[in-house]
């Protein structure tokens, strides 16, 4: 059982690229809000990978498939969830970030605000009782 938990990605049919989903939310639902590329929708912010790491409240820590990291395309922006102006975590683009980080390459970031995230996932407003 421990081995399965440590290597769970090998046993799953993992989604790639535009097949990415979270529960009932598809990556295209996110793209409708922020745009798919830096040329459309919300503005991309450019920064070195080291700066992004410093800004993230929740640092990436999951061990990723090295083949997917190697094949990751840095032309696509990372999607970061933002709450009260603070970067929370990378929602989409962890493989791209893992590829960029060792070289401290410039990454493109699109922000998804928690209000938008909550609406997508049907999460009740945190201030509601």
């Amino acid at each position: 059982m421990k081995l399965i938990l440590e290597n769970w990605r090998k046993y799953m049919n993992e989604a790639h690229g535009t097949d990415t989903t979270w529960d009932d939310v598809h990556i295209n639902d996110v793209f409708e809000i922020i745009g798919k590329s830096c040329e459309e929708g919300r503005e991309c912010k450019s920064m070195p990978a080291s700066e992004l790491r410093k800004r993230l409240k929740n640092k990436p820590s999951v061990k990723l498939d090295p083949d997917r990291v190697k094949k990751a395309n840095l032309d696509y922006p990372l999607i970061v969830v933002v709450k009260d102006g603070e970067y929370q975590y990378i929602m989409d683009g962890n493989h791209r970030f893992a590829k960029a980080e060792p070289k401290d390459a410039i990454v493109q970031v699109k922000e998804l605000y928690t209000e938008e995230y909550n609406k997508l996932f049907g999460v009740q407003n945190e201030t509601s009782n």
Side-chain angles (χ1 to χ4, degrees):
M1 181 71 157
K2 182 180 176 194
L3 183 60
I4 290 173
L5 290 173
E6 290 173 354
N7 299 296
W8 65 273
R9 289 183 186 273
K10 293 178 185 176
Y11 298 99
M12 291 186 65
N13 185 9
E14 213 173 50
H16 299 271
T18 57
D19 291 333
T20 301
T21 59
W22 306 268
D23 298 324
D24 293 331
V25 177
H26 190 275
I27 189 69
N28 287 332
D29 299 324
V30 178
F31 292 156
E32 287 181 18
I33 297 170
I34 63 172
K36 188 174 184 174
S37 69
C38 290
E39 289 74 37
E40 65 181 60
R42 189 165 291 157
E43 175 186 2
C44 282
K45 297 188 177 187
S46 298
M47 65 188 75
S50 60
E51 180 182 337
L52 177 56
R53 177 169 281 282
K54 286 179 199 171
R55 292 182 66 180
L56 287 167
K57 181 176 180 179
N58 299 291
K59 313 292 187 217
S61 61
V62 175
K63 185 174 178 170
L64 302 172
D65 177 1
D67 290 334
R68 283 195 60 199
V69 170
K70 185 178 178 179
K71 293 175 185 174
N73 186 341
L74 298 180
D75 292 337
Y76 297 100
L78 288 72
I79 301 172
V80 175
V81 175
V82 180
K83 179 180 180 182
D84 299 327
E86 182 179 39
Y87 282 18
Q88 298 299 304
Y89 60 91
I90 298 171
M91 178 180 182
D92 183 68
N94 284 289
H95 292 92
R96 295 187 296 278
F97 179 73
K99 182 175 185 172
E101 194 171 28
K103 298 177 183 179
D104 201 21
I106 300 295
V107 293
Q108 302 298 319
V109 175
K110 283 211 176 215
E111 299 174 343
L112 179 71
Y113 305 113
T114 53
E115 300 82 19
E116 298 163 329
Y117 176 94
N118 291 346
K119 188 174 178 181
L120 278 171
F121 287 92
V123 177
Q124 294 296 318
N125 189 339
E126 293 175 3
T127 60
S128 299
N129 289 338

